[in-house]
Amino acid sequence: MTGEFDSAHGRATRARIMGDELVDAVYSAADDMQQDVQDYVSALCWGEIFNRDGLSQQVRILINIAALASIGERDTMKHHVRAAVRLGCSRVEIREAIIQAAA
């Protein structure tokens, strides 16, 4: 990390949305190179992009679910589905995001 991004803020957002257990497991399994990648993902994706104005975090997670469904990332998608529930998305909203991606 060059210090341009705040990985601590991003990691906190990521843990709040995805769950501490999952984020801790991802970081624990990371080697030195992967640690830098995880810091970058946390800082940029979760710290900067996920916290932007313009879309709610619920809409953002539903977009992630749709994108993951469309490329067949079932394991990653189930983590995002749990996160969507944590953010207050309904089963109907989650189902509709997956159906939309399938279309």
Side-chain angles (χ1 to χ4, degrees):
M1 294 287 304
T2 63
E4 294 175 27
F5 300 105
D6 183 354
S7 64
H9 170 67
R11 185 172 175 170
T13 298
R14 189 178 186 184
R16 179 179 57 79
I17 293 169
M18 299 302 288
D20 289 319
E21 304 81 22
L22 178 65
V23 175
D24 290 346
V26 166
Y27 272 88
S28 293
D31 63 22
D32 289 341
M33 185 175 85
Q34 293 166 341
Q35 187 78 34
D36 285 345
V37 171
Q38 290 303 320
D39 283 343
Y40 187 75
V41 166
S42 287
L44 183 62
C45 297
W46 295 100
E48 297 292 324
I49 296 170
F50 215 80
N51 285 303
R52 289 177 54 84
D53 292 332
L55 294 174
S56 69
Q57 290 186 339
Q58 291 86 354
V59 169
R60 290 181 188 281
I61 203 76
L62 291 170
I63 291 169
N64 286 353
I65 290 168
L68 292 165
S70 71
I71 61 171
E73 280 288 333
R74 296 177 80 173
D75 289 333
T76 304
M77 188 177 76
K78 71 181 170 185
H79 297 300
H80 282 77
V81 167
R82 287 187 198 115
V85 171
R86 191 176 288 115
L87 284 170
C89 295
S90 71
R91 291 175 56 105
V92 171
E93 291 170 319
I94 294 165
R95 180 190 68 215
E96 292 302 317
I98 295 168
I99 290 170
Q100 184 65 35

